[in-house]
Amino acid sequence: MAQTTTATGLPKGFRDADQGWPELHRIPHPPHRLPFLGDVIGASRRTPLQDSLRHAPALGPVFRRKAFGKEFVFVWGARQVADLADETRFAKHVGLGVANLRPVAGDGLFTAYNEEPNWQLAHDVLAPGFSREAMAGYHPMMLAVAGRLTDHWDGALTAGRPVDVPGDMTKLTLETIARTGFGHDFGSFERDRPHPFVTAMVGTLGYAQRLNTVPAPLARHLLRGAARRNAADIARLDATVDELIAQRRASGGGEGDLLDRMLATAHPRTGERLSALNVRRQVITFLVAGHETTSGALSFALHYLSRHPEIAARAAAEVDAVWGDAARPGYDQVAKLRHVRRILDESLRLWPTAPAYAREATVDTVLAGEHPMRRGAWTLVLTAMLHRDPEVWGADAERFDPDRFEPAAVRTRAPHTFKPFGTGARACIGRQFALHEATLVLGLLLRRYRLVPDPAYRLRVTERLTLMPEALRLHLERRPTGR
Ligand code: MNH
């Protein structure tokens, strides 16, 4: 029988074995390899990312791990990550967690394959929704939602109750993207339990994560019940979004928000519009991508502020100085909170809430002059580890220190060493939105409250594709000078 060969001339099967990394065997991996389960000793299904972080220092800037029947190459060295940012040789790879979300988000902006025409179309139609002018338009709505949060926190303070930080940040960020993007109100702050949309979203993110950690041949069997629940979750997300779209169509248009752009804006050059199915995908994409990561970023920042009262006091003093006692700080007054913004950057350094992104070679190439990759080979950039590389951040990289983001300090660092929003054409479209919202809210909270930690709390991080501090509660005190 004639031997089948691949395009590279290798016998069929080789390509799968080395996954497009012809010198895969030269990439370090953890000791204790077991047949089938791989490097599973000490690995937890619940914390795959934090397990990788634990392995990374000993294995070096490029390493591989075999876990739950699959092998992955990870990259975290600053030099290698910078090379992967070269858009002439590399691009986003839709794999793993992102690929697992395809049944939910289809060819929506986040999960679209690079060559799918709906990516460019939606990107061009929606990008103006993130311009400076658009952001200034969202600002009053962001303020209104933040007011619901401070009302809620005032109630907790009066009752002497601690606040549920991740829970409340999720309410805030969901209401913010729903209101600014879609003119919708989920009533999160008025509910005892999360909105069913949120429950379904959390379910489907958790399922997408679990699919990564179950050996493929067993996944169907092990996850049968979970798959059924996941289908129900997706149906719930679709139903919520379809209703929201139907309301908008019935009302004949909003104030030029994201939904109006999705429904009514034609591509500036081709005149093409998003299909009804694609609009549904985009609404789900933005409701999910637009709040989960920002909620985590705010939650980590509040954790660190509660543990570093001197940093919180300095930031509060900045807010007092810049905002005075303006009841409603203006759009331009938010970007002036430089210290508050550095607190956010430093939180996203230690816990980038989208903790990894995948890159694939678009040509046969050599990664950082060392590791040959064939076209299509891919790797995961471990952002959370890049952000702890001692060669970039020093021996005290684990320490929370917002001064690392002083302009003079930033100038000493190489490009591509801080990548919480990904890289290149497929980097986060909502970056300015998230930073404006989070800086505004931190400013409002720092001005109004002193954050008092529970001394017994130890930071534990939940993973469901995104990161979140687990069970973080804080006590509040009113700042005598704050508004
Ligand atoms: Mn966001 C892509 C991180 C807030 C909408 N986002 C990405 C990527 C990262 C990321 C990383 C790239 C993923 C990849 O390469 O596979 N995003 C964040 C973080 C925050 C965030 C850390 C908050 C903090 N993102 C937001 C907000 C929105 C949003 C807010 C919307 C309002 N993000 C997106 C969309 C994409 C994306 C949409 C996909 C963009 C594209 O591929 O064209």
Side-chain angles (χ1 to χ4, degrees):
M1 207 168 75
Q3 202 180 34
T4 343
T5 54
T6 64
T8 53
L10 289 164
K12 197 176 176 185
F14 262 75
R15 212 192 143 89
D16 286 343
D18 68 25
Q19 304 176 50
W21 294 76
E23 296 180 18
L24 189 67
H25 61 279
R26 285 184 45 221
I27 297 178
H29 62 79
H32 315 300
R33 296 217 124 179
L34 298 175
F36 187 56
L37 281 183
D39 310 313
V40 83
I41 291 183
S44 159
R45 281 217 169 125
R46 297 195 177 281
T47 54
L49 172 89
Q50 290 165 85
D51 286 343
S52 295
L53 296 187
R54 265 189 293 279
H55 282 292
L59 295 174
V62 179
F63 70 93
R64 62 191 159 120
R65 280 185 78 194
K66 199 166 189 172
F68 316 111
K70 294 174 199 156
E71 178 141 45
F72 308 111
V73 177
F74 295 91
V75 174
W76 59 273
R79 200 167 55 80
Q80 292 83 356
V81 174
D83 194 38
L84 287 169
D86 177 356
E87 297 259 293
T88 66
R89 295 153 53 229
F90 299 98
K92 168 163 170 154
H93 174 72
V94 175
L96 281 174
V98 181
N100 292 347
L101 290 172
R102 288 278 302 190
V104 194
D107 59 357
L109 215 49
F110 184 75
T111 41
Y113 294 105
N114 297 316
E115 63 285 355
E116 265 175 317
N118 274 345
W119 179 76
Q120 191 74 58
L121 172 62
H123 175 83
D124 293 351
V125 165
L126 297 177
F130 294 92
S131 65
R132 213 192 116 81
E133 303 75 67
M135 303 288 306
Y138 304 146
H139 176 76
M141 302 181 230
M142 289 185 176
L143 261 177
V145 175
R148 286 160 76 184
L149 172 72
T150 49
D151 286 351
H152 185 68
W153 278 26
D154 284 354
L157 192 153
T158 309
R161 268 185 282 119
V163 291
D164 164 8
V165 173
D168 290 345
M169 292 306 114
T170 299
K171 292 177 182 182
L172 170 97
T173 54
L174 177 66
E175 292 302 328
T176 301
I177 184 64
R179 176 76 187 83
T180 57
F182 306 97
H184 190 73
D185 186 340
F186 281 106
S188 301
F189 285 107
E190 292 73 37
R191 289 168 187 270
D192 300 332
R193 287 197 271 154
H195 190 285
F197 180 90
V198 176
T199 313
M201 181 207 74
V202 169
T204 207
L205 289 178
Y207 180 76
Q209 160 130 337
R210 246 173 313 150
L211 279 181
N212 289 341
T213 58
V214 175
L218 298 184
R220 274 187 55 193
H221 180 70
L222 287 178
L223 297 178
R224 200 180 311 153
R228 243 194 325 268
R229 282 191 297 280
N230 188 53
D233 284 340
I234 293 177
R236 158 66 58 197
L237 296 177
D238 286 348
T240 308
V241 163
D242 287 351
E243 194 188 313
L244 189 153
I245 295 172
Q247 281 172 8
R248 174 63 57 90
R249 287 201 197 272
S251 80
E255 305 142 14
D257 59 10
L258 290 178
L259 185 54
D260 281 338
R261 286 179 206 279
M262 290 173 187
L263 290 173
T265 306
H267 189 277
R269 273 193 324 278
T270 65
E272 218 183 325
R273 285 164 199 264
L274 307 187
S275 70
L277 178 60
N278 188 254
V279 171
R280 180 205 255 179
R281 307 298 207 191
Q282 304 295 0
V283 177
I284 294 181
T285 296
F286 276 85
L287 284 175
V288 176
H291 90 281
E292 170 82 3
T293 42
T294 313
S295 165
L298 275 164
S299 299
F300 284 111
L302 290 166
H303 166 71
Y304 285 115
L305 285 169
S306 78
R307 291 303 170 105
H308 296 275
E310 69 296 344
I311 294 175
R314 211 173 124 198
E318 177 186 57
V319 183
D320 290 344
V322 175
W323 289 0
D325 47 28
R328 297 167 57 81
Y331 175 78
D332 290 327
Q333 281 176 299
V334 175
K336 290 192 181 128
L337 299 182
R338 302 313 301 165
H339 192 63
V340 175
R341 173 56 198 281
R342 290 197 280 273
I343 288 166
L344 209 54
D345 283 344
E346 179 67 347
S347 303
L348 281 169
R349 179 182 73 83
L350 285 168
W351 297 107
T353 48
Y357 57 90
R359 300 286 286 170
E360 67 183 33
T362 52
V363 292
D364 290 355
T365 186
V366 181
L367 170 61
E370 287 156 358
H371 296 286
M373 294 171 78
R374 278 188 221 105
R375 182 174 171 213
W378 63 277
T379 179
L380 271 172
V381 173
L382 272 183
T383 320
M385 198 63 216
L386 166 74
H387 291 175
R388 289 172 159 87
D389 184 346
E391 286 182 21
V392 177
W393 306 95
D396 68 343
E398 294 290 334
R399 194 166 57 88
F400 182 79
D401 177 10
D403 290 348
R404 297 178 200 274
F405 289 91
E406 293 273 4
V410 173
R411 278 194 295 275
T412 66
R413 286 193 292 272
H416 306 298
T417 46
F418 181 60
K419 305 292 282 182
F421 294 98
T423 199
R426 302 294 302 270
C428 182
I429 199 173
R431 178 173 176 270
Q432 295 303 338
F433 184 103
L435 291 173
H436 185 85
E437 175 187 8
T439 307
L440 169 65
V441 169
L442 280 184
L444 290 167
L445 297 180
L446 280 163
R447 179 160 78 155
R448 194 169 183 86
Y449 308 107
R450 251 176 29 83
L451 308 164
V452 184
D454 171 354
Y457 181 75
R458 292 289 166 272
L459 181 62
R460 272 173 296 128
V461 176
T462 315
E463 300 183 19
R464 53 171 182 244
L465 298 185
T466 62
L467 305 180
M468 190 70 90
E470 197 170 314
L472 173 64
R473 304 272 181 287
L474 292 176
H475 284 274
L476 303 175
E477 286 171 8
R478 194 78 158 76
R479 272 181 82 228
T481 53
R483 289 197 46 107

